[in-house]
Short mmCIF file of all heavy atoms in Angstrom, two decimals:
data_model
loop_
_atom_site.label_atom_id
_atom_site.label_comp_id
_atom_site.label_asym_id
_atom_site.label_seq_id
_atom_site.Cartn_x
_atom_site.Cartn_y
_atom_site.Cartn_z
N GLN A 1 7.89 8.56 1.30
CA GLN A 1 7.48 7.50 2.16
C GLN A 1 6.97 6.35 1.31
O GLN A 1 6.30 6.57 0.31
CB GLN A 1 6.39 7.97 3.11
CG GLN A 1 6.86 9.04 4.05
CD GLN A 1 5.74 9.54 4.95
OE1 GLN A 1 4.58 9.25 4.75
NE2 GLN A 1 6.12 10.26 5.97
N VAL A 2 7.29 5.15 1.73
CA VAL A 2 6.87 3.95 1.02
C VAL A 2 6.08 3.07 1.97
O VAL A 2 6.50 2.84 3.10
CB VAL A 2 8.09 3.17 0.48
CG1 VAL A 2 7.66 1.88 -0.19
CG2 VAL A 2 8.91 4.04 -0.47
N VAL A 3 4.92 2.61 1.51
CA VAL A 3 4.09 1.69 2.28
C VAL A 3 3.96 0.41 1.47
O VAL A 3 3.81 0.45 0.25
CB VAL A 3 2.69 2.29 2.51
CG1 VAL A 3 1.78 1.30 3.20
CG2 VAL A 3 2.78 3.57 3.32
N GLY A 4 4.00 -0.72 2.13
CA GLY A 4 3.82 -1.97 1.42
C GLY A 4 3.30 -3.06 2.34
O GLY A 4 3.43 -2.97 3.56
N ARG A 5 2.72 -4.09 1.73
CA ARG A 5 2.24 -5.24 2.51
C ARG A 5 3.40 -5.96 3.16
O ARG A 5 3.28 -6.49 4.25
CB ARG A 5 1.49 -6.23 1.62
CG ARG A 5 0.16 -5.74 1.16
CD ARG A 5 -0.47 -6.79 0.29
NE ARG A 5 0.33 -6.88 -0.93
CZ ARG A 5 -0.03 -7.54 -2.01
NH1 ARG A 5 -1.15 -8.19 -2.02
NH2 ARG A 5 0.72 -7.55 -3.08
N ASP A 6 4.52 -6.01 2.46
CA ASP A 6 5.71 -6.68 2.95
C ASP A 6 6.68 -5.61 3.44
O ASP A 6 7.26 -4.87 2.64
CB ASP A 6 6.33 -7.51 1.82
CG ASP A 6 7.54 -8.30 2.25
OD1 ASP A 6 8.40 -7.75 2.96
OD2 ASP A 6 7.63 -9.47 1.85
N ALA A 7 6.85 -5.50 4.75
CA ALA A 7 7.68 -4.45 5.33
C ALA A 7 9.11 -4.49 4.83
O ALA A 7 9.73 -3.44 4.58
CB ALA A 7 7.65 -4.54 6.86
N ALA A 8 9.67 -5.68 4.64
CA ALA A 8 11.05 -5.80 4.16
C ALA A 8 11.19 -5.27 2.74
O ALA A 8 12.15 -4.56 2.43
CB ALA A 8 11.51 -7.25 4.24
N LYS A 9 10.23 -5.57 1.88
CA LYS A 9 10.27 -5.06 0.51
C LYS A 9 10.08 -3.55 0.48
O LYS A 9 10.73 -2.85 -0.29
CB LYS A 9 9.19 -5.73 -0.34
CG LYS A 9 9.51 -7.16 -0.70
CD LYS A 9 8.42 -7.73 -1.59
CE LYS A 9 8.69 -9.17 -1.94
NZ LYS A 9 7.62 -9.73 -2.80
N ALA A 10 9.19 -3.04 1.33
CA ALA A 10 8.98 -1.59 1.40
C ALA A 10 10.25 -0.90 1.84
O ALA A 10 10.64 0.14 1.29
CB ALA A 10 7.83 -1.27 2.34
N GLU A 11 10.93 -1.45 2.83
CA GLU A 11 12.18 -0.88 3.33
C GLU A 11 13.25 -0.90 2.25
O GLU A 11 13.97 0.08 2.06
CB GLU A 11 12.66 -1.65 4.57
CG GLU A 11 13.89 -1.08 5.20
CD GLU A 11 13.72 0.34 5.72
OE1 GLU A 11 12.67 0.63 6.30
OE2 GLU A 11 14.64 1.16 5.53
N GLU A 12 13.35 -1.99 1.52
CA GLU A 12 14.34 -2.10 0.45
C GLU A 12 14.09 -1.05 -0.63
O GLU A 12 15.01 -0.38 -1.10
CB GLU A 12 14.28 -3.51 -0.15
CG GLU A 12 15.27 -3.76 -1.25
CD GLU A 12 15.15 -5.17 -1.83
OE1 GLU A 12 14.62 -6.06 -1.14
OE2 GLU A 12 15.59 -5.35 -2.97
N LEU A 13 12.83 -0.91 -1.04
CA LEU A 13 12.48 0.08 -2.07
C LEU A 13 12.73 1.49 -1.57
O LEU A 13 13.26 2.33 -2.30
CB LEU A 13 11.02 -0.10 -2.47
CG LEU A 13 10.53 0.81 -3.59
CD1 LEU A 13 11.27 0.52 -4.89
CD2 LEU A 13 9.03 0.64 -3.79
N ALA A 14 12.35 1.77 -0.34
CA ALA A 14 12.56 3.09 0.23
C ALA A 14 14.05 3.44 0.25
O ALA A 14 14.46 4.55 -0.12
CB ALA A 14 11.98 3.15 1.64
N ARG A 15 14.87 2.51 0.69
CA ARG A 15 16.32 2.74 0.74
C ARG A 15 16.88 3.04 -0.64
O ARG A 15 17.71 3.92 -0.81
CB ARG A 15 17.00 1.49 1.32
CG ARG A 15 17.94 1.77 2.43
CD ARG A 15 18.71 0.56 2.95
NE ARG A 15 18.26 -0.75 2.54
CZ ARG A 15 17.50 -1.54 3.27
NH1 ARG A 15 17.06 -1.17 4.45
NH2 ARG A 15 17.14 -2.74 2.82
N LYS A 16 16.40 2.32 -1.63
CA LYS A 16 16.87 2.48 -3.01
C LYS A 16 16.66 3.91 -3.51
O LYS A 16 17.45 4.43 -4.28
CB LYS A 16 16.14 1.49 -3.92
CG LYS A 16 16.58 1.52 -5.36
CD LYS A 16 15.86 0.45 -6.16
CE LYS A 16 16.25 0.49 -7.61
NZ LYS A 16 15.59 -0.55 -8.39
N TYR A 17 15.58 4.55 -3.07
CA TYR A 17 15.24 5.89 -3.56
C TYR A 17 15.40 6.99 -2.51
O TYR A 17 14.90 8.10 -2.68
CB TYR A 17 13.81 5.89 -4.11
CG TYR A 17 13.72 5.05 -5.36
CD1 TYR A 17 13.21 3.76 -5.32
CD2 TYR A 17 14.19 5.54 -6.57
CE1 TYR A 17 13.16 2.98 -6.46
CE2 TYR A 17 14.14 4.77 -7.71
CZ TYR A 17 13.63 3.49 -7.65
OH TYR A 17 13.59 2.72 -8.79
N GLY A 18 16.08 6.68 -1.42
CA GLY A 18 16.33 7.69 -0.41
C GLY A 18 15.09 8.11 0.36
O GLY A 18 15.00 9.23 0.85
N ALA A 19 14.14 7.21 0.45
CA ALA A 19 12.89 7.49 1.18
C ALA A 19 12.90 6.67 2.46
O ALA A 19 13.91 6.09 2.82
CB ALA A 19 11.69 7.12 0.30
N ARG A 20 11.76 6.64 3.13
CA ARG A 20 11.65 5.79 4.31
C ARG A 20 10.37 4.99 4.24
O ARG A 20 9.36 5.45 3.70
CB ARG A 20 11.73 6.60 5.60
CG ARG A 20 10.63 7.57 5.83
CD ARG A 20 10.91 8.44 7.08
NE ARG A 20 9.91 9.46 7.19
CZ ARG A 20 8.91 9.42 8.06
NH1 ARG A 20 8.81 8.43 8.92
NH2 ARG A 20 8.02 10.38 8.10
N ALA A 21 10.43 3.79 4.78
CA ALA A 21 9.26 2.92 4.82
C ALA A 21 8.44 3.28 6.05
O ALA A 21 9.00 3.53 7.12
CB ALA A 21 9.70 1.46 4.88
N VAL A 22 7.13 3.33 5.89
CA VAL A 22 6.23 3.69 6.99
C VAL A 22 5.03 2.75 7.00
O VAL A 22 4.74 2.08 6.01
CB VAL A 22 5.75 5.15 6.88
CG1 VAL A 22 6.91 6.12 6.99
CG2 VAL A 22 4.98 5.39 5.59
N ALA A 23 4.32 2.73 8.09
CA ALA A 23 3.09 1.94 8.20
C ALA A 23 1.98 2.62 7.40
O ALA A 23 1.99 3.84 7.22
CB ALA A 23 2.68 1.83 9.67
N PRO A 24 1.00 1.85 6.92
CA PRO A 24 -0.10 2.45 6.14
C PRO A 24 -0.80 3.61 6.83
O PRO A 24 -1.26 4.53 6.17
CB PRO A 24 -1.05 1.27 5.93
CG PRO A 24 -0.17 0.07 5.96
CD PRO A 24 0.89 0.40 6.98
N ILE A 25 -0.85 3.61 8.14
CA ILE A 25 -1.52 4.70 8.86
C ILE A 25 -0.85 6.04 8.59
O ILE A 25 -1.47 7.10 8.71
CB ILE A 25 -1.59 4.39 10.38
CG1 ILE A 25 -2.56 5.34 11.08
CG2 ILE A 25 -0.23 4.45 11.01
CD1 ILE A 25 -3.99 5.15 10.70
N ALA A 26 0.40 6.03 8.17
CA ALA A 26 1.12 7.28 7.87
C ALA A 26 0.50 8.02 6.70
O ALA A 26 0.73 9.21 6.52
CB ALA A 26 2.59 6.98 7.59
N ALA A 27 -0.31 7.35 5.90
CA ALA A 27 -0.98 8.00 4.78
C ALA A 27 -1.88 9.13 5.26
O ALA A 27 -2.17 10.07 4.53
CB ALA A 27 -1.78 6.99 3.97
N ALA A 28 -2.31 9.06 6.51
CA ALA A 28 -3.16 10.12 7.06
C ALA A 28 -2.45 11.46 7.03
O ALA A 28 -3.10 12.50 6.96
CB ALA A 28 -3.56 9.76 8.49
N ASP A 29 -1.12 11.46 7.06
CA ASP A 29 -0.35 12.71 7.05
C ASP A 29 0.11 13.12 5.66
O ASP A 29 0.72 14.17 5.50
CB ASP A 29 0.87 12.57 7.96
CG ASP A 29 0.49 12.37 9.41
OD1 ASP A 29 -0.57 12.89 9.83
OD2 ASP A 29 1.23 11.69 10.13
N ALA A 30 -0.14 12.29 4.66
CA ALA A 30 0.34 12.56 3.31
C ALA A 30 -0.59 13.52 2.58
O ALA A 30 -1.79 13.53 2.80
CB ALA A 30 0.44 11.26 2.53
N ASP A 31 -0.01 14.34 1.71
CA ASP A 31 -0.80 15.23 0.86
C ASP A 31 -1.26 14.50 -0.40
O ASP A 31 -2.31 14.81 -0.96
CB ASP A 31 0.02 16.45 0.44
CG ASP A 31 0.36 17.34 1.61
OD1 ASP A 31 -0.47 17.48 2.52
OD2 ASP A 31 1.47 17.89 1.63
N ALA A 32 -0.44 13.56 -0.85
CA ALA A 32 -0.74 12.81 -2.06
C ALA A 32 -0.36 11.35 -1.86
O ALA A 32 0.54 11.04 -1.10
CB ALA A 32 0.02 13.38 -3.25
N ILE A 33 -1.06 10.48 -2.58
CA ILE A 33 -0.82 9.05 -2.49
C ILE A 33 -0.74 8.52 -3.91
O ILE A 33 -1.59 8.81 -4.75
CB ILE A 33 -1.96 8.35 -1.72
CG1 ILE A 33 -1.96 8.86 -0.28
CG2 ILE A 33 -1.83 6.84 -1.80
CD1 ILE A 33 -3.13 8.45 0.53
N VAL A 34 0.31 7.73 -4.18
CA VAL A 34 0.46 7.07 -5.47
C VAL A 34 0.21 5.59 -5.25
O VAL A 34 0.87 4.95 -4.44
CB VAL A 34 1.87 7.29 -6.06
CG1 VAL A 34 2.01 6.54 -7.38
CG2 VAL A 34 2.14 8.78 -6.26
N VAL A 35 -0.76 5.05 -5.97
CA VAL A 35 -1.09 3.63 -5.88
C VAL A 35 -0.40 2.94 -7.05
O VAL A 35 -0.68 3.23 -8.21
CB VAL A 35 -2.61 3.40 -5.95
CG1 VAL A 35 -2.93 1.92 -5.85
CG2 VAL A 35 -3.31 4.19 -4.87
N ALA A 36 0.51 2.04 -6.73
CA ALA A 36 1.26 1.30 -7.76
C ALA A 36 1.21 -0.18 -7.41
O ALA A 36 2.18 -0.76 -6.95
CB ALA A 36 2.69 1.81 -7.84
N THR A 37 0.05 -0.76 -7.59
CA THR A 37 -0.18 -2.17 -7.26
C THR A 37 -0.68 -2.89 -8.49
O THR A 37 -1.01 -2.27 -9.50
CB THR A 37 -1.25 -2.31 -6.16
OG1 THR A 37 -2.50 -1.84 -6.70
CG2 THR A 37 -0.92 -1.53 -4.92
N GLY A 38 -0.77 -4.18 -8.39
CA GLY A 38 -1.46 -4.94 -9.41
C GLY A 38 -2.94 -4.55 -9.38
O GLY A 38 -3.46 -4.13 -8.34
N TYR A 39 -3.61 -4.68 -10.50
CA TYR A 39 -5.01 -4.25 -10.60
C TYR A 39 -5.88 -4.90 -9.53
O TYR A 39 -6.68 -4.22 -8.89
CB TYR A 39 -5.54 -4.58 -12.00
CG TYR A 39 -6.97 -4.16 -12.22
CD1 TYR A 39 -7.28 -2.81 -12.40
CD2 TYR A 39 -8.00 -5.09 -12.24
CE1 TYR A 39 -8.59 -2.41 -12.61
CE2 TYR A 39 -9.31 -4.69 -12.44
CZ TYR A 39 -9.60 -3.35 -12.63
OH TYR A 39 -10.89 -2.97 -12.82
N GLY A 40 -5.70 -6.17 -9.30
CA GLY A 40 -6.53 -6.89 -8.34
C GLY A 40 -6.28 -6.48 -6.89
O GLY A 40 -7.09 -6.75 -6.01
N ASP A 41 -5.15 -5.82 -6.63
CA ASP A 41 -4.80 -5.42 -5.26
C ASP A 41 -5.11 -3.95 -4.96
O ASP A 41 -4.99 -3.52 -3.83
CB ASP A 41 -3.30 -5.66 -5.02
CG ASP A 41 -2.93 -7.12 -5.11
OD1 ASP A 41 -3.74 -7.96 -4.67
OD2 ASP A 41 -1.85 -7.42 -5.64
N ALA A 42 -5.47 -3.18 -5.97
CA ALA A 42 -5.63 -1.73 -5.80
C ALA A 42 -6.70 -1.35 -4.77
O ALA A 42 -6.46 -0.51 -3.91
CB ALA A 42 -5.93 -1.06 -7.14
N LEU A 43 -7.86 -1.96 -4.84
CA LEU A 43 -8.94 -1.60 -3.92
C LEU A 43 -8.56 -1.89 -2.47
O LEU A 43 -8.75 -1.05 -1.60
CB LEU A 43 -10.24 -2.32 -4.30
CG LEU A 43 -11.47 -1.95 -3.49
CD1 LEU A 43 -11.75 -0.45 -3.59
CD2 LEU A 43 -12.67 -2.74 -3.97
N ALA A 44 -8.01 -3.06 -2.23
CA ALA A 44 -7.60 -3.41 -0.87
C ALA A 44 -6.51 -2.47 -0.37
O ALA A 44 -6.51 -2.05 0.79
CB ALA A 44 -7.12 -4.85 -0.81
N ALA A 45 -5.59 -2.10 -1.25
CA ALA A 45 -4.52 -1.18 -0.86
C ALA A 45 -5.09 0.18 -0.47
O ALA A 45 -4.71 0.75 0.56
CB ALA A 45 -3.52 -1.02 -2.00
N LEU A 46 -6.02 0.69 -1.25
CA LEU A 46 -6.63 1.98 -0.93
C LEU A 46 -7.43 1.91 0.37
O LEU A 46 -7.34 2.81 1.20
CB LEU A 46 -7.52 2.44 -2.08
CG LEU A 46 -6.78 2.92 -3.31
CD1 LEU A 46 -7.72 3.03 -4.50
CD2 LEU A 46 -6.09 4.24 -3.05
N LYS A 47 -8.18 0.84 0.55
CA LYS A 47 -8.97 0.70 1.78
C LYS A 47 -8.07 0.62 3.01
O LYS A 47 -8.45 1.10 4.08
CB LYS A 47 -9.86 -0.54 1.70
CG LYS A 47 -11.06 -0.35 0.80
CD LYS A 47 -11.93 -1.59 0.80
CE LYS A 47 -13.18 -1.36 -0.03
NZ LYS A 47 -14.05 -2.54 -0.01
N SER A 48 -6.89 0.05 2.87
CA SER A 48 -5.99 -0.09 4.02
C SER A 48 -5.44 1.25 4.50
O SER A 48 -4.93 1.35 5.60
CB SER A 48 -4.82 -1.01 3.67
OG SER A 48 -3.87 -0.36 2.86
N LEU A 49 -5.60 2.30 3.67
CA LEU A 49 -5.07 3.61 4.02
C LEU A 49 -6.03 4.47 4.82
O LEU A 49 -5.69 5.54 5.27
CB LEU A 49 -4.64 4.35 2.75
CG LEU A 49 -3.58 3.65 1.92
CD1 LEU A 49 -3.32 4.42 0.64
CD2 LEU A 49 -2.30 3.46 2.71
N GLY A 50 -7.26 4.01 4.95
CA GLY A 50 -8.25 4.80 5.69
C GLY A 50 -8.85 5.89 4.82
O GLY A 50 -8.86 5.78 3.60
N SER A 51 -9.29 6.96 5.44
CA SER A 51 -9.95 8.05 4.71
C SER A 51 -8.96 8.77 3.80
O SER A 51 -7.87 9.15 4.23
CB SER A 51 -10.56 9.05 5.68
OG SER A 51 -11.09 10.15 4.94
N LEU A 52 -9.36 8.95 2.56
CA LEU A 52 -8.53 9.68 1.60
C LEU A 52 -9.15 11.04 1.27
O LEU A 52 -8.74 11.69 0.31
CB LEU A 52 -8.35 8.84 0.34
CG LEU A 52 -7.67 7.49 0.55
CD1 LEU A 52 -7.63 6.70 -0.75
CD2 LEU A 52 -6.28 7.66 1.11
N THR A 53 -10.11 11.46 2.07
CA THR A 53 -10.77 12.73 1.85
C THR A 53 -9.75 13.87 1.82
O THR A 53 -8.92 13.99 2.71
CB THR A 53 -11.80 13.00 2.96
OG1 THR A 53 -12.75 11.93 2.97
CG2 THR A 53 -12.51 14.33 2.76
N GLY A 54 -9.80 14.67 0.76
CA GLY A 54 -8.91 15.81 0.63
C GLY A 54 -7.52 15.48 0.13
O GLY A 54 -6.67 16.36 0.03
N LYS A 55 -7.26 14.23 -0.20
CA LYS A 55 -5.95 13.81 -0.68
C LYS A 55 -5.95 13.68 -2.20
O LYS A 55 -6.96 13.35 -2.81
CB LYS A 55 -5.57 12.46 -0.09
CG LYS A 55 -5.72 12.37 1.40
CD LYS A 55 -4.39 12.13 2.05
CE LYS A 55 -4.54 11.97 3.54
NZ LYS A 55 -4.20 13.15 4.25
N VAL A 56 -4.82 13.94 -2.80
CA VAL A 56 -4.63 13.68 -4.22
C VAL A 56 -4.23 12.21 -4.33
O VAL A 56 -3.29 11.77 -3.68
CB VAL A 56 -3.52 14.57 -4.80
CG1 VAL A 56 -3.22 14.19 -6.25
CG2 VAL A 56 -3.91 16.03 -4.70
N VAL A 57 -4.97 11.44 -5.12
CA VAL A 57 -4.66 10.03 -5.32
C VAL A 57 -4.32 9.82 -6.79
O VAL A 57 -5.12 10.11 -7.67
CB VAL A 57 -5.84 9.13 -4.92
CG1 VAL A 57 -5.50 7.66 -5.20
CG2 VAL A 57 -6.18 9.33 -3.45
N VAL A 58 -3.11 9.33 -7.04
CA VAL A 58 -2.66 9.01 -8.39
C VAL A 58 -2.64 7.49 -8.47
O VAL A 58 -1.90 6.83 -7.75
CB VAL A 58 -1.26 9.57 -8.67
CG1 VAL A 58 -0.80 9.19 -10.07
CG2 VAL A 58 -1.24 11.08 -8.47
N ASP A 59 -3.46 6.93 -9.34
CA ASP A 59 -3.59 5.49 -9.46
C ASP A 59 -3.00 5.06 -10.81
O ASP A 59 -3.54 5.40 -11.85
CB ASP A 59 -5.06 5.10 -9.35
CG ASP A 59 -5.29 3.61 -9.40
OD1 ASP A 59 -4.32 2.85 -9.63
OD2 ASP A 59 -6.43 3.19 -9.18
N VAL A 60 -1.89 4.34 -10.77
CA VAL A 60 -1.23 3.93 -12.00
C VAL A 60 -1.50 2.47 -12.34
O VAL A 60 -0.80 1.89 -13.16
CB VAL A 60 0.29 4.20 -11.94
CG1 VAL A 60 0.57 5.68 -11.82
CG2 VAL A 60 0.95 3.43 -10.82
N THR A 61 -2.53 1.89 -11.73
CA THR A 61 -2.85 0.49 -12.03
C THR A 61 -3.62 0.40 -13.34
O THR A 61 -4.35 1.31 -13.71
CB THR A 61 -3.68 -0.16 -10.91
OG1 THR A 61 -4.88 0.58 -10.75
CG2 THR A 61 -2.93 -0.20 -9.60
N ASN A 62 -3.41 -0.68 -14.04
CA ASN A 62 -4.11 -0.95 -15.29
C ASN A 62 -4.57 -2.39 -15.29
O ASN A 62 -3.79 -3.28 -14.95
CB ASN A 62 -3.19 -0.74 -16.50
CG ASN A 62 -2.88 0.70 -16.73
OD1 ASN A 62 -3.75 1.50 -16.93
ND2 ASN A 62 -1.59 1.03 -16.67
N PRO A 63 -5.81 -2.65 -15.70
CA PRO A 63 -6.22 -4.04 -15.82
C PRO A 63 -5.46 -4.65 -17.00
O PRO A 63 -5.41 -4.09 -18.08
CB PRO A 63 -7.72 -3.96 -16.09
CG PRO A 63 -7.95 -2.58 -16.63
CD PRO A 63 -6.87 -1.71 -16.07
N MET A 64 -4.84 -5.77 -16.75
CA MET A 64 -4.05 -6.43 -17.80
C MET A 64 -4.65 -7.79 -18.09
O MET A 64 -5.01 -8.52 -17.18
CB MET A 64 -2.60 -6.61 -17.33
CG MET A 64 -1.89 -5.33 -16.98
SD MET A 64 -1.59 -4.27 -18.37
CE MET A 64 -0.29 -5.15 -19.18
N THR A 65 -4.76 -8.09 -19.35
CA THR A 65 -5.17 -9.42 -19.76
C THR A 65 -4.14 -9.92 -20.76
O THR A 65 -3.57 -9.15 -21.54
CB THR A 65 -6.56 -9.42 -20.41
OG1 THR A 65 -6.57 -8.52 -21.52
CG2 THR A 65 -7.62 -9.00 -19.41
N ALA A 66 -3.88 -11.18 -20.71
CA ALA A 66 -2.87 -11.74 -21.62
C ALA A 66 -3.51 -12.73 -22.55
O ALA A 66 -4.52 -13.27 -22.33
CB ALA A 66 -1.77 -12.40 -20.83
#
């Protein structure tokens, strides 16, 4: 399942990998969540998913400075 701020982009990515795009509320049914956002967007993305109690969260964000 793929969740994104932009539904069209989420759908495109999901199709590319044989998954399906879902609304953020679907995270309530997930066993694990992978956060792959820009560093500045990670907190808002996690908060949009609601309670993550009992879920495995893999966060691949890194603060980047140039």
Side-chain angles (χ1 to χ4, degrees):
Q1 296 178 347
V2 177
V3 175
R5 289 180 293 191
D6 183 316
K9 287 182 181 180
E11 184 62 41
E12 181 181 338
L13 183 64
R15 230 185 347 261
K16 182 176 178 179
Y17 293 100
R20 65 187 174 103
V22 297
I25 193 67
D29 295 330
D31 294 324
I33 296 171
V34 177
V35 180
T37 65
Y39 181 74
D41 297 323
L43 185 58
L46 287 166
K47 285 182 176 181
S48 76
L49 300 176
S51 175
L52 300 176
T53 301
K55 309 243 183 260
V56 174
V57 177
V58 179
D59 183 353
V60 297
T61 59
N62 289 301
M64 301 292 287
T65 56

